[in-house]
């Protein structure tokens, strides 16, 4: 039976759309770019977090799905089902929709349309088709590795004419940037590339994201300037593999140059690089991240494992000794630099000796944050055909064991930071009510959401505002979180960007 929203849009009432985003920060950027397109196409954006009793309901909900691992796929499907229960029309986009297309549409009939990346430029037209009851053909997946690279979302020519650092900055009109912010955080992801050219045996991302394509540096800088004008203080550079930035442009060292430019953008206090591939992390990039003022001395290194036999089966390079050597290079440049990584356990053929080698590496690496994932079989990957697959009980046991070690080790690493002075970007402020959220933010070694936070305590913790940069003294550790006391305000929200 067809579903109808509480009130259908009329020519005098713009259609209302809500965007729900799952998965990584790259998806967050995609959603904000879609929000910019839809806003420019006459849609009224509705906050999906609003109280339904006080806010107008959405006519259509766009769910930007994730297809990273099995649990992410389930979350995406559950979100589509929950959105359908609201009575609005529901459209699935994003990685799950791109990867499975018609197969997803057939099995998830609660979705009124399943659209791929190629539909993004005309998304407003497709949503109007859905609202009008017109059938929208489901996306037909194609292995993107067999196609030409996907060009990043087309941007207006005005971006290419934006002034670069050293030549004067001007405010950017909202219409000149194909993006609309969906929150008021002082931190924003900034996509510098799309796709991936690596062929890791466990990863399906290249098959639906395509080959690696860098966003032109002038466009990245222009978008950074626009974000600064929106109140953003910290940029998190995201891509499938940031160390590859510029290789398709014929510009070795392009990421180092880009970091210098971003550090000069007025109003941006900190730029953080994420998704570094250890095999491609060159000494000049280490120096740029560790030594450029305004760039966080933070290294998000995708180790995935530390046993050579497992890494080779994963189609990856490196070893425990090489990874420890890379961390030694980083700490020689910046002794208090932050370092994090993700690891996969239970990969086909992994032995107890391999797990022990991984545990030895983690114990010696002194990482600030460690994500531990159990191997998840992905359709169409090389690992799907490998012998030596483990049962779920074995994978679960290894995940729990390594995760317990990781929690212990990262807690110890946080304890080592007691007595340090850190610069904290304030992201949440207490209103003074007992039981309410505390005044908190993040230091350079803490990325958003995954790496812990700094909680302000002691005299002077209350007057700060979201977006302030405050020098603090670390007085205690609680797991990966730090308890800090303010020392001085470095930059306030009232200061001109």
């Amino acid at each position: 039976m067809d579903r109808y929203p509480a009130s259908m849009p009329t020519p005098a009432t713009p259609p209302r759309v809500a965007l729900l985003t799952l998965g990584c920060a790259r998806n967050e950027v995609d959603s904000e770019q879609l929000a910019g397109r839809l806003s420019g196409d006459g849609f009224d954006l509705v906050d999906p977090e609003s109280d339904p009793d006080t806010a107008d309901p959405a006519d259509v909900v766009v769910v930007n799905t994730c297809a990273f691992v099995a649990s992410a796929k389930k979350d995406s499907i559950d979100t589509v089902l929950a959105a359908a229960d609201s009575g609005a029309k529901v459209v699935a986009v994003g990685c799950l929709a791109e990867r499975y297309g018609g197969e997803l549409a057939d099995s998830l009939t609660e979705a009124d349309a399943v659209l791929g990346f190629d539909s993004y430029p005309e998304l407003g037209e497709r949503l109007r088709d859905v609202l009008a009851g017109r059938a929208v053909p489901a996306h037909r997946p194609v292995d993107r590795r067999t196609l030409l690279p996907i060009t990043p979302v087309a941007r207006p020519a005005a971006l290419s004419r934006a002034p670069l650092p050293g030549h004067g900055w001007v405010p950017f009109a909202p219409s000149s940037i194909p993006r609309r912010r969906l929150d008021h955080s002082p931190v924003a992801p900034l996509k510098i590339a799309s796709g991936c050219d690596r062929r890791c045996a466990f990863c399906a991302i290249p098959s639906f994201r395509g080959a690696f394509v860098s966003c032109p540096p002038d466009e990245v800088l222009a978008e950074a300037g626009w974000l600064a004008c929106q109140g953003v203080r910290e940029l998190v550079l995201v891509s499938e593999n940031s160390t590859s930035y510029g290789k398709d442009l014929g510009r070795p060292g392009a990421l180092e140059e880009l970091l210098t430019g971003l550090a000069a953008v007025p109003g941006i206090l900190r730029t953080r690089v994420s998704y570094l591939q250890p095999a491609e992390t060159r000494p000049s990039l280490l120096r740029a991240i560790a030594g450029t003022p305004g760039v966080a001395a933070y290294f998000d290194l995708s180790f995935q494992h530390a046993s050579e036999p497992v890494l080779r089966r994963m189609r990856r390079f490196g070893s425990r000794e090489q990874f420890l050597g890379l961390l030694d290079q980083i700490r020689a440049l910046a002794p208090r630099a932050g370092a994090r990584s993700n690891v996969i356990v239970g990969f086909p053929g992994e032995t107890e000796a391999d797990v022990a080698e991984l545990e030895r590496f983690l114990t010696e690496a002194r990482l600030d944050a460690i994500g531990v994932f159990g191997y998840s079989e992905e359709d169409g990957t090389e690992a799907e055909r490998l012998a030596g697959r483990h049962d779920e009980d074995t994978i679960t046991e290894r995940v729990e064991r390594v995760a317990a070690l990781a929690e212990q080790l990262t807690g110890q690493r946080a304890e080592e930071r007691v007595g340090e002075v850190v610069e904290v970007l304030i992201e949440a402020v207490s209103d003074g009510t007992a039981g309410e959220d505390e005044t908190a933010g993040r230091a350079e070694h803490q990325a958003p959401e995954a790496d812990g936070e700094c909680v302000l305590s002691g005299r002077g913790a209350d007057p700060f505002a979201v977006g302030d940069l405050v020098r603090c003294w670390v007085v205690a550790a609680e797991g990966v979180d730090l308890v800090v006391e303010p020392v001085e305000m470095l930059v306030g929200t009232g200061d001109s960007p």
Side-chain angles (χ1 to χ4, degrees), residues 18-19 37 50 70 97 104 119 144 153 165 176 199 215 220 224 232 234 240 256 270 301 337 365 373 425 430 458 484:
L19 280 156
R37 288 180 176 276
S50 296
L104 179 65
S119 294
R144 292 281 183 181
V153 176
S176 71
R199 293 295 180 263
C215 298
V220 177
V232 170
E234 177 177 321
E240 276 73 24
E256 292 91 314
R270 192 156 68 195
L301 295 158
F373 296 90
L425 180 67
S430 170
V484 300

Side-chain angles (χ1 to χ4, degrees), residues 35-364:
R37 288 180 176 276
L38 292 173
S39 179
D41 198 20
F43 283 78
D44 184 9
L45 296 179
V46 175
D47 182 358
E49 302 299 324
S50 296
D51 184 344
D53 295 330
T54 61
D56 290 333
D59 300 305
V60 58
V61 178
V62 176
V63 182
N64 190 354
T65 61
C66 177
F68 180 52
V69 292
S71 59
K73 297 174 191 175
K74 182 180 183 302
D75 288 345
S76 294
I77 292 171
D78 289 346
T79 301
V80 170
L81 294 174
D85 288 341
S86 71
K89 299 288 188 178
V90 181
V91 174
V93 300
C95 293
L96 192 67
E98 173 68 30
R99 186 173 178 185
Y100 294 104
E103 180 184 346
L104 179 65
D106 291 342
S107 61
L108 192 62
T109 56
E110 290 82 359
D112 295 282
V114 173
L115 304 176
F117 300 144
D118 291 337
S119 294
Y120 284 8
E122 55 192 34
L123 183 60
E125 295 178 42
R126 299 292 77 77
L127 296 190
R128 286 188 169 88
D129 287 340
V130 167
L131 288 170
R134 294 187 287 269
V136 176
H139 167 64
R140 299 177 62 183
V142 177
D143 188 335
R144 292 281 183 181
R145 291 170 295 190
T146 66
L147 304 178
L148 292 174
I150 301 174
T151 302
V153 176
R155 299 163 185 248
L159 281 177
S160 299
R161 299 195 298 271
L164 301 181
H167 300 280
W169 283 84
V170 297
F172 296 89
S175 60
S176 71
I177 300 290
R179 181 171 177 178
R180 174 169 169 169
R181 298 217 66 205
L182 295 175
D183 62 36
H184 302 289
S185 171
V187 183
L190 177 59
K191 186 183 288 189
I192 62 172
S194 298
C196 185
D197 288 338
R198 303 192 71 86
R199 293 295 180 263
C200 301
F202 55 81
C203 185
I205 289 176
S207 68
F208 57 88
R209 279 288 183 181
F212 185 91
V213 181
S214 301
C215 298
D218 59 342
E219 295 185 2
V220 177
L221 288 165
E223 189 166 342
W226 178 82
L227 287 168
C229 292
Q230 308 303 304
V232 170
R233 295 291 183 134
E234 177 177 321
L235 301 171
V236 181
L237 307 188
V238 298
S239 70
E240 276 73 24
N241 176 11
S242 295
T243 39
S244 286
Y245 181 75
K247 71 176 187 179
D248 54 318
L249 304 176
R251 295 179 61 175
L255 183 55
E256 292 91 314
E257 297 173 11
L258 183 65
L259 289 174
T260 300
L262 291 169
V265 177
I268 299 300
L269 304 179
R270 192 156 68 195
T271 296
R272 182 183 305 276
V273 186
S274 61
Y275 305 107
L276 298 175
Q277 169 60 244
E280 298 180 28
T281 305
R282 51 203 173 272
S284 61
L285 180 57
L286 298 182
R287 292 192 295 271
I289 295 175
T292 304
V295 175
Y298 173 84
F299 295 83
D300 176 14
L301 295 158
S302 177
F303 291 128
Q304 302 300 350
H305 212 283
S307 168
E308 282 193 78
V310 175
L311 287 166
R312 297 306 173 269
R313 288 170 71 84
M314 288 180 168
R315 299 294 184 196
R316 294 179 68 86
F317 300 94
S319 65
R320 179 180 62 84
E321 294 83 358
Q322 290 173 339
F323 292 161
L324 291 173
L326 177 59
L327 290 168
D328 286 344
Q329 292 179 56
I330 289 168
R331 288 165 179 150
L333 294 167
R336 294 187 296 178
R340 76 154 349 260
S341 190
N342 295 323
V343 297
I344 297 173
V345 295
F347 191 77
E350 181 190 62
T351 65
E352 283 294 334
D354 294 325
V355 178
E357 180 78 344
L358 174 61
E359 291 172 326
R360 182 182 176 192
F361 165 70
L362 295 177
T363 301
E364 297 173 334

Side-chain angles (χ1 to χ4, degrees), residues 459-484:
R459 181 176 300 176
D462 292 336
F464 300 114
V466 171
D468 288 345
L469 188 66
V470 183
R471 179 172 286 123
C472 298
W473 185 266
V474 181
V475 297
E478 298 178 353
V480 295
D481 296 335
L482 302 179
V483 180
V484 300

